[in-house]
Amino acid sequence: MISADTAQADGLQTNFDQLLAANGIRMSAAQRRRLAWLSERLGPAVVHQAGSVPARDHGVIILVEPPSGPAAEMLYRSLRADCAVVVPFGENPAFDFLKSKLTDFGTIGPSFDGPHEMWWGGLNWRPIAPEQGSRSEASLRVVSCYPRACGDDRARALRDKLAEFRIACDIAPIDTADGEHMRAADKSGFMLRMWEQHREPLLFIEADAVLSEPPLLPSHLDCDVALHKWNRWEMSARTLYLGRSPAAETVLRNWHHIASAHPAVWEGYSLDQAWSLTSSQMALDTVWLPRSYHAPAEDAGTPRHTTIVHNLPTDSSDLGPDAEFGVAMRAARRASRSGGRDAMIVIRSQAASNEAITVIMRDIAASDAREMAASIEAVTGAFAADCGGSAGSSSHSAPGRTISARRNRPRKARTTASSRSRRGRRCRPTCSAPWANPAMPAASS
């Protein structure tokens, strides 16, 4: 490995192409943009070498090898408050322990030119957050809706605060089939109408929330999507930012499609699946908003910093009625990555076919991180060179197993071919989710 290349005249902007190429790291254009954004604000980027301590002038630490427990602790203790850690192979669960010690800022999904999930985080939000009392130059429109049966008082406090902060807004009552209860399809349908009506980025805030300060962080970070994960894994639609990008629109349309097709599924899980479906097929730039943007009522009046205070208890009862519903994704979402039964990356071919190939990457726990990264790159490259007449290919990750592939018919729930493990036991099959957006390849489910 080499250290960061010579900085340019401003002392901050690193020659990223040379740095990444010299260290065998593939990143998409969206991922390199985020790396440059961090470097401009925090300082030069450097590829971390095992056992070393980051220099004080290094603002962005790129980690390509998962550290052991003691090494992760040493790295954590050596980090400055005003630096960021970037993991270019964030889909690998070997990095989960280090991620658990840091604050996760964001994830950028894979694409053909960068077939990995890039994770970025740090010690706290302060170095990259807008200054206290500042005004963002980025356009923003706050939108919200509530069941008509609840009455106009439901959103009065939110309206008053937005007027005080001089933030454009659209807050409206909507008709719902369940009286005072609003389903995910109602909320996503309203947001879709707002998306088509306005040109600004949208920030949805639940109508009964109270603002402590202007909610400027999402627009300041220039991302596709921003939301909060309650308890670090359960996605919430109470605060949801959509940047003005094709990727953000795809998330919104996928969410509405899934929520409409499965109205009984609670909104957090349908949003989770829309995020997973979209992130596997494009370099979706996601920011994981801090607790201050999803603060429960008990946080108001305490030393905790709050921006958006929601009328909900500190437990998760308001979010997911079934505590076991999303257990398959819990560990992966805590690490801000795909996992469980998600596809990590989906590639579409130009072939006129209704077939797809699913590739399962296994033996992850026993493999070197760079070897796994090279395997993913080899699979995506091989499919791009010769798709074999298939419409698409998807890659999944499953710790502790070998590689298998099988052609699958899309738009159906399906099971990949079982294979013998090295010990001769049958591997548990991996099933795809039963929904698929017609606008996106079903192999991604």
Side-chain angles (χ1 to χ4, degrees):
M1 292 184 184
I2 65 170
S3 61
D5 292 273
T6 303
Q8 295 179 356
D10 61 3
L12 294 177
Q13 182 64 45
T14 305
N15 186 336
F16 294 116
D17 290 339
Q18 186 177 350
L19 173 66
L20 299 176
N23 289 278
I25 303 170
R26 282 183 61 184
M27 284 188 179
S28 66
Q31 293 168 346
R32 289 196 301 271
R33 278 197 302 272
R34 178 59 67 187
L35 194 62
W37 186 92
L38 288 169
S39 182
E40 288 169 2
R41 286 156 180 79
L42 304 178
V46 62
V47 175
H48 178 70
Q49 300 188 33
S52 65
V53 175
R56 294 201 61 82
D57 63 333
H58 291 148
V60 182
I61 314 301
I62 303 174
L63 201 66
V64 295
E65 296 288 350
S68 63
E73 183 67 28
M74 184 176 75
L75 176 61
Y76 169 74
R77 291 178 180 274
S78 68
L79 292 175
R80 305 191 330 267
D82 58 345
C83 73
V85 174
V86 172
V87 179
F89 310 138
E91 72 276 1
N92 195 320
F95 292 97
D96 287 2
F97 177 68
L98 176 65
K99 292 179 186 178
S100 71
K101 301 183 71 63
L102 300 171
T103 299
D104 48 351
F105 297 154
T107 304
I108 302 181
S111 58
F112 175 70
D113 58 335
H116 303 286
E117 294 177 349
M118 191 189 95
W119 178 94
W120 55 293
L123 296 181
N124 61 66
W125 282 93
R126 192 169 296 110
I128 59 173
E131 295 182 6
Q132 191 80 14
S134 65
R135 297 290 302 177
S136 174
E137 296 180 1
S139 58
L140 176 68
R141 179 171 293 271
V142 171
V143 297
S144 187
C145 60
Y146 54 93
R148 195 177 301 276
C150 293
D152 291 341
D153 287 343
R154 177 100 168 182
R156 190 178 304 278
L158 179 61
R159 277 198 185 95
D160 291 346
K161 277 295 183 181
L162 290 170
E164 178 184 335
F165 297 143
R166 291 183 290 179
I167 297 176
C169 67
D170 269 282
I171 303 175
I174 61 173
D175 296 317
T176 58
D178 297 341
E180 295 187 358
H181 176 70
M182 187 166 56
R183 293 187 177 185
D186 299 324
K187 182 182 291 188
S188 59
F190 170 79
M191 291 193 68
L192 195 54
R193 292 191 296 274
M194 293 294 101
W195 178 272
E196 293 169 347
Q197 182 177 336
H198 300 290
R199 299 273 68 85
E200 307 103 317
L202 302 180
L203 175 62
F204 181 91
I205 300 175
E206 201 73 24
D208 58 356
V210 176
L211 298 183
S212 303
E213 62 184 18
L216 303 180
L217 179 62
S219 53
H220 173 76
L221 295 176
D222 190 25
C223 57
D224 294 321
V225 176
L227 67 158
H228 178 74
K229 293 181 296 165
W230 190 246
N231 291 329
R232 295 197 72 162
W233 76 269
E234 191 169 6
M235 295 190 189
S236 171
R238 280 182 163 269
T239 304
L240 176 61
Y241 172 83
L242 297 172
R244 208 70 213 184
S245 69
E249 182 179 7
T250 303
V251 172
L252 178 56
R253 292 189 183 279
N254 282 341
W255 183 31
H256 184 59
H257 173 81
I258 293 171
S260 300
H262 303 271
V265 175
W266 43 276
E267 64 180 31
Y269 187 67
S270 60
L271 179 59
D272 178 291
Q273 291 301 283
W275 174 84
S276 172
L277 181 68
T278 309
S279 183
S280 67
Q281 299 175 63
M282 56 183 63
L284 179 68
D285 190 341
T286 305
V287 163
W288 306 112
L289 292 174
R291 179 187 173 110
S292 60
Y293 274 70
H294 196 280
E298 284 83 349
D299 280 7
T302 71
R304 281 186 180 273
H305 177 234
T306 61
T307 300
I308 303 174
V309 180
H310 290 283
N311 182 25
L312 77 165
T314 52
D315 59 28
S316 60
S317 59
D318 179 75
L319 299 177
D322 183 353
E324 302 300 319
F325 197 80
V327 69
M329 291 84 62
R330 197 166 299 180
R333 294 299 184 266
R334 283 194 177 114
S336 303
R337 60 174 173 82
S338 60
R341 292 171 176 148
D342 305 324
M344 193 276 288
I345 181 172
V346 174
I347 301 175
R348 285 186 286 182
S349 75
Q350 301 301 316
S353 171
N354 66 343
E355 291 190 336
I357 297 174
T358 298
V359 179
I360 302 177
M361 311 297 293
R362 304 181 174 179
D363 275 346
I364 292 176
S367 298
D368 177 80
R370 281 190 175 274
E371 290 178 357
M372 283 308 307
S375 297
I376 293 171
E377 292 168 13
V379 169
T380 56
F383 182 82
D386 182 7
C387 67
S390 296
S393 171
S394 63
S395 293
H396 301 248
S397 298
R401 299 174 186 170
T402 54
I403 295 179
S404 69
R406 169 189 172 174
R407 290 183 188 276
N408 293 292
R409 296 275 179 186
R411 309 196 193 285
K412 294 180 181 178
R414 59 192 180 276
T415 304
T416 59
S418 296
S419 62
R420 295 278 180 182
S421 70
R422 291 181 178 179
R423 296 185 177 88
R425 297 178 297 186
R426 300 292 289 184
C427 293
R428 186 172 66 181
T430 303
C431 300
S432 297
W435 46 64
N437 189 333
M440 313 270 292
S444 64
S445 301

